[in-house]
């Protein structure tokens, strides 16, 4: 909750704009503050208090804000503000800039140090609309709040935003690393944000060319309050975390602002796109074509229903999908014949582009599917789904037709797992929770908002996918996510709730091998990013522990996760008719 404090001498519009920037459309709580100088009777403020209550009631009616239970009248208003904030459980307090003739700056400083909530002190007037906003992102505890308020104010005021951080003094500093991650992905999340990295003494010229400055207190709050140049300012202060050790690195959670924003704006639900006629109209207006590739290995039990369900609803009834192909990995059952009988083109991935060799693995099949399909949008759907539904495709198509900047869409769902005769509602996704998401949170925290980074139902734009390397095996999904992030930014990724997916769960030894490959894929990208050679000397074989006939033994499995180059780098691909047209 945001608690906004007002006095008769302040303009409330600026403080309400800061409140809206922090928490969106939720109304803040407005409290009145009347400071009475020492030596004067508090009763002298009765008329002022009555006038302030009247003004606050009108403001609440006009803005939708709620009124606090009382107007604070005090010689020590700071202390009363603290008590009211604690009673209301507010997490942000918005105050007007201290009146030089009013309560002492020293009292404000003490209040800031004692407060358990975060603060924003506002000196207006803020720009009415438009203008330029400067967010000063120093590596400090205030960096997260500064970024949140800056993004919100840029939206509320329609301002262009510059994000600035100093270069010096951050080498090897954890907070500096956090800010690096923020600046790296900020432009991909918030369109039109200019990023500036420079020396601290280069900040003054930037301040002079911007209409609104947002930043934390620099050093001593007393000096900051008394030594600020003219112009609109929003200064923030956050309390030290409970139990924080002295000297602990600040600002490490700043990246969460971007992830929270991405999650809110780029998480969709399949039901948003269930009106296929509307989706078809949008597709036709865009001029895009759509291909669905079905990777398979020995899926005769489910492949027929997968094909008939998708084909009848998305090709026969509504021509949303232009092409559907099977990418088989040399199944030994009747998978290929079932697909052929249903009129679906069948390709064996080991026989596609034979001049580049044939590798085992799902990633190899997906990479080669780029060569044999022709759509502008490419969707992959696993063929072991028991509860197949057309939403597994149209749910993924929707975000890319809705927003041009989205390059890769991942599906997510509840994954029940059978244990004996019972189904556990959330038992699936063990490799996701024990390997993939911890690795992403450690090394690529911008991707920490993805619910199921390893899901087999996803798709992307050909123009993006053809530029990316593909891991040949189980590392393909996490590799594509990381590479899309680094090449196109966080805003190029989206995820869609596909409700529930029932499939055949794999045994633990198979999941262990999958994790081994995923870790290799992540480390390969860390090597590439930081110019390291961590994978050069690591073991590529995995010793699996087997138990049979009352004895344990080791079985060695070679699991070397290799990357295929971007498809657009192959001359055969570039020579395809549609590429040369």
């Amino acid at each position: 909750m945001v608690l906004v404090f007002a006095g008769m001498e302040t303009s409330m519009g600026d403080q309400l704009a800061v409140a809206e920037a922090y928490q969106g459309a939720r109304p803040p709580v407005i409290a009145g503050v009347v400071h009475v100088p020492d030596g004067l009777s508090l009763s002298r403020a009765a008329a002022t208090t009555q006038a302030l209550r009247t003004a606050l009631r009108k403001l609440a009616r006009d803005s939708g804000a709620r009124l606090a239970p009382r107007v604070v009248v005090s010689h020590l208003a700071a202390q009363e503000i603290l008590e009211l904030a604690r009673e209301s459980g507010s997490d942000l307090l918005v105050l007007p800039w201290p009146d030089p003739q009013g309560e002492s700056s020293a009292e404000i400083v003490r209040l800031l140090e004692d407060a358990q909530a975060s603060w924003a002190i506002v000196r207006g007037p803020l720009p009415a609309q438009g203008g330029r906003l400067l967010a000063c992102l120093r590596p400090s505890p205030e960096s997260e709040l500064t970024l949140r308020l800056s993004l919100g104010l840029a939206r509320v005021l329609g301002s262009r935003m510059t994000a600035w951080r100093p270069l010096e003094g951050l080498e090897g500093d954890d907070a500096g690393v956090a800010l690096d991650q923020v600046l790296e992905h900020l432009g991909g999340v918030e369109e039109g944000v200019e990023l500036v990295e420079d020396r601290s003494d280069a900040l003054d010229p930037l301040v002079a060319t911007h209409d609104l400055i947002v930043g934390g207190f620099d050093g001593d709050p007393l000096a900051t309050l008394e030594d600020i140049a003219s112009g609109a300012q929003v200064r923030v202060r956050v309390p030290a975390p409970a139990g924080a050790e002295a000297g602990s690195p600040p600002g490490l959670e700043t990246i969460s602002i971007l992830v929270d924003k991405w999650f809110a704006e780029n998480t969709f639900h399949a039901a948003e796109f269930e009106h296929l006629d509307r989706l078809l109209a949008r597709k036709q207006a865009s001029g895009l074509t759509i291909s669905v590739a079905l990777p398979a290995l020995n899926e005769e039990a489910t492949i027929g229903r997968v094909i008939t369900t998708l084909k009848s609803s998305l090709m026969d009834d509504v021509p949303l999908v232009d092409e559907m192909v099977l990418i088989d990995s040399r199944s030994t059952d009747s998978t290929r014949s079932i697909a052929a009988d249903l009129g679906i083109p069948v390709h064996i991935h080991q026989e596609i582009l034979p001049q580049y060799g044939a590798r085992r693995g799902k990633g190899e099949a997906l990479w080669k599917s780029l060569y044999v399909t022709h759509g502008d949008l490419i969707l992959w759907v696993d063929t072991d789904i028991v509860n197949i539904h057309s939403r597994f495709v149209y749910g993924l198509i929707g975000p890319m037709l809705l927003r041009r900047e989205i390059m890769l869409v991942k599906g997510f769902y509840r994954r029940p797992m059978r244990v004996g005769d019972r189904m556990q509602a959330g038992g699936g996704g063990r490799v996701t929770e024990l390997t993939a998401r911890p690795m992403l949170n450690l090394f690529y925290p911008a991707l920490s908002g993805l619910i199921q980074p390893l899901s087999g139902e996803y798709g992307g734009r050909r123009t993006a996918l053809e530029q990316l390397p593909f891991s040949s095996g189980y590392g393909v999904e996490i590799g594509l996510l990381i590479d899309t992030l680094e090449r196109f930014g966080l805003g190029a990724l989206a995820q869609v709730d596909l409700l529930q997916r029932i499939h055949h769960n794999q045994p633990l030894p198979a999941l262990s091998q999958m994790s081994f490959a995923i870790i290799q894929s992540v480390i390969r990208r860390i090597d590439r990013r930081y110019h390291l050679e961590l994978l050069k000397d690591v073991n590529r074989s995995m010793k699996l522990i087997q138990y049979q006939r009352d004895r344990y033994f080791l079985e060695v499995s070679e699991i070397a996760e290799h990357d295929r180059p971007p498809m657009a780098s192959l001359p055969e691909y570039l020579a395809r008719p549609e590429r040369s047209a």
Side-chain angles (χ1 to χ4, degrees), residues 15-25 92 148-156:
Q15 289 157 255
L16 290 177
V18 171
E20 182 182 349
Y22 182 78
Q23 66 176 13
L92 178 69
R148 183 189 296 273
L149 288 178
S150 298
L151 289 170
L153 282 168
R155 183 192 69 250
V156 170

Side-chain angles (χ1 to χ4, degrees), residues 519-564:
I519 292 170
Q520 287 186 53
S521 188
V522 173
I523 293 177
R524 184 183 307 283
R525 280 148 181 83
I526 294 172
D527 277 357
R528 188 177 62 210
R529 178 188 179 107
Y530 297 106
H531 308 289
L532 304 173
E533 293 185 340
L534 298 175
L535 276 180
K536 181 179 179 181
D537 300 318
V538 302
N539 181 39
R540 305 296 181 85
S541 62
M542 185 175 186
K543 296 176 179 63
L544 303 173
I545 300 174
Q546 304 287 356
Y547 179 79
Q548 194 176 65
R549 296 179 181 176
D550 297 328
R551 68 184 182 92
Y552 290 96
F553 62 95
L554 298 179
E555 184 177 90
V556 179
S557 179
E558 188 71 22
I559 308 174
E561 192 74 1
H562 298 291
D563 279 357
R564 284 295 197 181

Side-chain angles (χ1 to χ4, degrees), residues 416-436:
M417 182 176 69
R418 183 172 295 281
V419 179
D421 295 332
R422 296 184 178 182
M423 294 291 287
Q424 291 184 354
R430 290 163 288 174
V431 176
T432 292
E433 295 302 325
L434 298 178
T435 301

Side-chain angles (χ1 to χ4, degrees), residues 25 27 35 57 110 138-139 149 174 180 220 288 297 347-348 379 385 389 401 427 444 449 499 528 539 541 569:
H35 174 257
R57 282 196 293 269
R110 189 193 63 75
R138 290 182 172 87
L149 288 178
D174 287 341
D180 282 340
D220 180 14
L288 297 173
L297 175 62
H347 301 272
I348 298 174
L379 291 305
I385 304 175
H389 188 278
L401 292 181
Y444 296 95
L499 301 182
R528 188 177 62 210
N539 181 39
S541 62
S569 67

Side-chain angles (χ1 to χ4, degrees), residues 272-325:
E272 296 179 57
F273 312 109
E274 63 186 0
H275 297 288
L276 299 186
D277 53 341
R278 300 176 192 172
L279 209 56
L280 177 63
R282 189 176 290 272
K283 174 205 166 185
Q284 292 170 338
S286 71
L288 297 173
T289 56
I290 300 174
S291 296
V292 173
L294 305 172
L297 175 62
N298 295 328
E299 302 294 354
E300 64 179 6
T302 51
I303 186 64
R305 190 161 187 269
V306 168
I307 291 174
T308 54
T309 299
L310 300 181
K311 185 174 181 293
S312 62
S313 60
L314 301 177
M315 298 181 77
D316 300 336
D317 296 343
V318 178
L320 187 63
V321 171
D322 300 283
E323 175 185 40
M324 185 181 298
V325 302

Side-chain angles (χ1 to χ4, degrees), residues 293-300 303 307 325-340 344-352 358-362 364-366 368-369 372 383:
L294 305 172
L297 175 62
N298 295 328
E299 302 294 354
E300 64 179 6
I303 186 64
I307 291 174
V325 302
L326 181 78
I327 308 294
D328 188 69
S329 297
R330 287 190 174 147
S331 295
T332 56
D333 62 6
S334 57
T335 296
R336 291 196 300 275
S337 62
I338 293 173
I344 297 299
V346 174
H347 301 272
I348 298 174
H349 91 247
Q350 290 88 344
E351 298 175 4
I352 302 171
R359 296 179 183 170
R360 297 172 54 192
K362 178 183 177 182
E364 177 85 347
L366 301 188
K368 289 183 173 179
S369 73
V372 298
T383 51

Side-chain angles (χ1 to χ4, degrees), residues 33-38 42 45 72-78 101-104:
V33 180
V34 178
H35 174 257
V36 178
D38 289 338
L42 295 179
V72 173
V73 182
S74 176
H75 295 303
L76 297 174
Q101 306 303 317
E103 192 166 5
S104 70

